[in-house]
Structure formats: C-alpha cells, structure tokens
C-alpha cells in the first residue's frame, strides 16, 4: 500500500520492527559511538565501520529525510553551511566557474569569494529578477555548478527552478539548490530536476532553536563525489543531535502549516500599512516569480521580509526593530518563536536592489497572529521617534 508523504514521514526511521522483534520503543535509541566493533578482522576490512560513517540514530534521520525529498543518498553535516561547503568541495576543481543567484545566503557567497577563489574557482552572480533565458545565457563552458536559492535569502524572489535545472543538465552542469526555505517539504528540489538539494536542518526541521545541522540530498550522478568529499573532510553529526532533528521532523508539516498561515496574515496586514514600501512574500502576487511559486510550491513557509518607506532612515528602522517585544532579534530562524532581523540590502548583493535600503526580515513562529500584529503596530508607531 502506498501512503501519503506526511504519513511516510511519521513512520520512517522508527525504532521497532515487528518483523524481527517482539517488543520495542516507538523511537530509535540514541546510539553513541566512535568505535563500531566487528566479529572478525575480515568484517572490519570489508565493511570498515566507524562512528563518522553514522549510527542507527543518524541512519534513522537519513531515512526520514529521504521521505521529504527522495534521492539516492542523504548526507548529514554539523550545520547547513557545512553541507554547502562539502557539496561545493566535492563538485568543483581549479579552473571551474560557478553560477549563483545574487539573492544568496550570505555565507555561501563568502565561501565562493574567499576560500574557493583561493583554489582557482571563479563565481558570478545572476540577478534573481532576470529572465530565465538571461540566467541561462550566463552559463559558461567551464561552469560546473549552478547554485540556486528559491525563494532568495531575505528578498524572496522565486526562480523557475525546473527550467534552470534542465538547462544546466543539458550543458553538463550540476544544479544545486539550497532548499532551506521550503524545508524540503513545500518544494521538492530533486523532483524539480536538481542533482543536489541542501537543507539547513537547523531551521524548520529541528524547529526548536536548539540544534545546528545540515543535509545534502544527492542523486546518483553526484552522490559518490559528494560522499567522498564528506568523508575526507571528516564531516559527521552526533547521534544526540540527529535524534533531536528526527523528533522535530515528525511535526514539521503541522508547524509549517500553522506558522505559514500566521505569516501570510501578518504579511497581508503589513501590505496595507502606509509605512511599508513593499512586502516580500512569495504568496503575494507582487512578489517576483509569484507565478513559479504558485506552480511549484505546495505552500509558503513563515520567513518573509518587508521594506520600510524610504523616508524612514536607519535610526528609525533600528528603533522599530529594537522596540518589538514578541520578536527576538537574532539570526537563524524556523524555530517555534518569532524572530526579526534588520538588513542593509545594497551591501549584501552585487546586482541592483530595487527598494529602499533597509529590509526587515521576520521569521514567524507559533504565537497568535493577532499578538504579533499588535506588537508590529506598536513598533510602527515608534518609527517617527
Ligand atoms: C541558515 C541557512 C543556512 C545555514 O544553516 P546553518 O545550519 O545555520 O549553517 C543555509 N542556507 C540558508 C538559506 C539558510 O537560511
């Protein structure tokens, strides 16, 4: 019998197997191990088990993640950024070029422009508002990786990922997507044609602001290369933390649905405010690439941004953010609690920024929408000093 994705997510990687056990707990144990013992020398030689290659607990998490985005392989990392770095190091060599979206998680840009530049890998950034054809035209003969994030970090532009992934594939370019915004649940990057989907599990999957972890889901054409790089770099995760992410995953669809609904309500409220120049939320028709969002995503998560009217200066923007009571000021996102960040967008990208410079990013948690709106309303009232 084939079950829905949500049901499969709840049943994958569980502890008890009635086919081989009489009794057992619902959840897998936390298996702490550096050394894994073997019966004899030959088994050690053929299987070469070691803690860095995983435990029962990390394998259970991998199984569950493969229900989100079916792939040939799921690799785990101590953070989302570590996943991005290992994937890049597994896929590029000196002389290669990487084409990336300019609406990028900033540390990915820093990795490209410093560490990988030092190893002779060049990078260029496409405007996330450019047409799909214009983006494809930027692919070069030596481009080995197309790196997309959709919606874009902070600015939320949505890309035509299936078309870009196909164009990359036709040119022998590996399409990698940072699929953190959708948590791998609202958008299936692998089904859209990407060869690698990266998720910062730190965000919605862990969901409680208490774990850092990342995953790279790879199709068969690149799994070997990424797995080898991961082993060589010594990347692995602890069973305790894998267990926490697995616990978070069981309620991921419910939390995302609730937080997503609240976020849309808050976004619509902000959209009607005269202090706000633009609300950047993929489910709003004004969002760049809204048509791709409607075609490709099964819903919106709860991270979005808005831009204050240009008449409000930096001091006013800081006063607004500092005055909020329910929104914690902090990086990362996707937990049960709401967060706010203030960003100066022209310093974060190389292509033109079409709005006023100060952007407020909100990660909406599981609080009541009306409480969050009242807090924002009080904050907007303080904009004038
Ligand atoms: C947070 C984030 C990451 C990195 O995750 P960490 O676990 O914090 O390293 C990568 N990509 C995106 C889009 C993110 O928001």
């Amino acid at each position: 019998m084939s079950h829905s994705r949500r049901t499969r997510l709840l049943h994958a990687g569980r502890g008890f197997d009635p086919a081989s056990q009489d009794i057992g707990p619902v959840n897998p144990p936390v298996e702490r191990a550096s050394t894994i013992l073997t019966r004899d020398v030959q088994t050690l030689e053929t299987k070469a088990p070691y803690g860095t290659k995983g435990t029962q607990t990390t394998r259970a998490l991998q199984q569950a993640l493969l229900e989100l985005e079916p792939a040939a392989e799921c690799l785990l990392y101590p953070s989302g950024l570590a996943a991005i770095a290992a994937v890049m190091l597994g896929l590029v060599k000196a002389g290669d070029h990487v084409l990336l979206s300019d609406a990028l998680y900033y540390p990915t840009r820093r990795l490209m422009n410093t560490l990988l530049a030092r190893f002779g890998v060049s990078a260029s950034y496409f405007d996330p508002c450019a047409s799909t054809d214009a983006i494809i035209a930027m692919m070069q003969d030596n481009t080995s990786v197309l790196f997309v994030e959709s919606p874009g970090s902070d600015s939320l532009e949505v890309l035509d990922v299936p078309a870009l992934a196909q164009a990359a594939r036709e040119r022998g370019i590996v399409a990698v997507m940072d699929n953190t915004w959708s948590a791998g649940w609202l958008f299936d990057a692998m089904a859209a044609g990407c060869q690698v989907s990266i998720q910062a599990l730190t965000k919605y999957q862990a969901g409680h602001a208490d774990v850092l972890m990342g995953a790279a889901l790879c199709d068969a054409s690149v799994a070997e290369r990424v797995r080898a790089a991961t082993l060589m770099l010594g990347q692995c995760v602890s069973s305790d933390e894998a267990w926490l992410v697995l616990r978070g995953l069981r309620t991921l669809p419910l939390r995302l649905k609730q937080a997503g609904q609240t976020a849309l309500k808050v976004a619509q409220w902000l959209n009607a405010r005269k202090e706000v120049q633009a609300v950047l939320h993929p489910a709003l028709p004004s969002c760049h690439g809204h048509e791709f969002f409607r075609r490709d995503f099964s819903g919106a998560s709860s991270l979005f941004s808005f831009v204050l009217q240009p008449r409000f200066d930096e001091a006013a923007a800081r006063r607004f953010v500092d005055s909020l009571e329910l929104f914690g000021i902090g990086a990362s996102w996707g937990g049960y609690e709401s967060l706010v960040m203030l960003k100066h967008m022209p310093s974060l990208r190389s292509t033109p920024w079409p709005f006023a410079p100060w952007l407020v990013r909100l990660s909406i948690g599981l609080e009541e929408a009306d409480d969050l709106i009242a807090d924002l309303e009080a904050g907007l009232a303080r904009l004038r000093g």
Side-chain angles (χ1 to χ4, degrees), residues 79-82 84 105 149 153 178 180 200 202-203 212-213 332-333:
S79 69
L81 180 58
I84 295 169
Y105 175 63
E149 215 183 300
S153 263
D178 183 335
T180 299
T202 307
K203 309 290 168 51
L212 291 157
M213 198 174 289
S332 201
W333 45 273

Side-chain angles (χ1 to χ4, degrees), residues 241-299:
E241 295 194 320
W243 196 94
L244 282 174
V245 176
L246 190 56
R247 165 184 276 212
L249 266 188
R250 307 299 188 192
T251 56
L252 172 72
L254 288 174
R255 287 184 288 106
L256 262 186
K257 190 172 174 190
Q258 178 60 55
Q261 271 173 16
T262 307
L264 187 57
K265 195 169 170 193
V266 174
Q268 282 162 343
W269 180 84
L270 283 165
N271 211 20
R273 295 290 305 204
K274 60 183 186 324
E275 299 92 340
V276 173
Q277 185 186 39
V279 178
L280 311 174
H281 186 302
L284 298 183
S286 56
C287 185
H288 183 87
H290 174 68
E291 66 275 26
F292 306 131
F293 173 77
R294 289 194 37 189
R295 185 191 66 192
D296 298 338
F297 286 70
S298 62

Side-chain angles (χ1 to χ4, degrees), residues 1 49 58 67 90 94 148 160 163 168-170 188 211 214 217 229 236 246 251 261 309 313 316 320 326 333 340:
M1 204 193 332
T58 62
E67 296 296 343
V148 295
D160 188 349
R169 205 174 271 263
E170 285 163 1
D188 184 338
V211 193
L217 295 126
C236 55
L246 190 56
T251 56
Q261 271 173 16
Q309 290 288 3
D313 61 6
F320 165 71
L326 293 177
W333 45 273
V340 61

Side-chain angles (χ1 to χ4, degrees), residues 83-251:
I84 295 169
V87 166
M88 293 316 261
L89 287 166
L91 295 178
V92 300
K93 61 180 187 314
D96 281 0
H97 168 258
V98 178
L99 179 61
L100 306 98
S101 168
D102 200 26
L104 201 60
Y105 175 63
Y106 189 77
T108 306
R109 181 190 303 267
R110 198 175 49 197
L111 171 77
M112 295 309 306
N113 292 353
T114 54
L115 188 73
L116 287 176
R118 225 158 65 210
F119 294 136
V121 177
S122 61
S124 41
Y125 299 88
F126 64 81
D127 185 338
C129 295
S131 71
T132 303
D133 286 343
I135 298 169
I136 293 170
M138 289 177 73
M139 296 176 182
Q140 304 174 185
D141 290 341
N142 65 337
T143 305
S144 56
V145 172
L146 167 74
F147 192 103
V148 295
E149 215 183 300
S150 176
S153 263
D154 305 324
S155 46
L156 286 303
E157 303 89 346
V158 185
L159 304 169
D160 188 349
V161 175
L164 290 169
Q166 191 189 333
R169 205 174 271 263
E170 285 163 1
R171 290 160 179 77
I173 297 169
V174 178
V176 177
M177 176 163 183
D178 183 335
N179 198 16
T180 299
W181 187 85
S182 91
W185 176 252
L186 303 166
F187 180 79
D188 184 338
M190 302 306 288
C194 296
Q195 281 116 305
V196 183
S197 172
I198 295 171
Q199 299 175 22
L201 305 175
T202 307
K203 309 290 168 51
Y204 292 114
Q205 291 86 331
H208 295 73
D210 52 7
V211 193
L212 291 157
M213 198 174 289
L217 295 126
C218 301
D219 86 357
S221 66
V222 296
E224 189 60 48
R225 277 193 282 164
V226 179
R227 188 188 326 118
T230 304
L231 265 178
M232 285 186 273
L233 291 165
Q235 293 291 44
C236 55
V237 302
S238 83
S239 295
D240 296 77
E241 295 194 320
W243 196 94
L244 282 174
V245 176
L246 190 56
R247 165 184 276 212
L249 266 188
R250 307 299 188 192
T251 56

Side-chain angles (χ1 to χ4, degrees), residues 53-75:
K53 291 186 187 164
T55 62
Q56 241 189 95
T57 321
T58 62
R59 279 190 291 278
L61 174 59
Q62 287 166 321
Q63 273 174 33
L65 288 169
L66 286 167
E67 296 296 343
L68 288 181
E69 287 187 275
E73 178 129 7
C74 171
L75 295 157

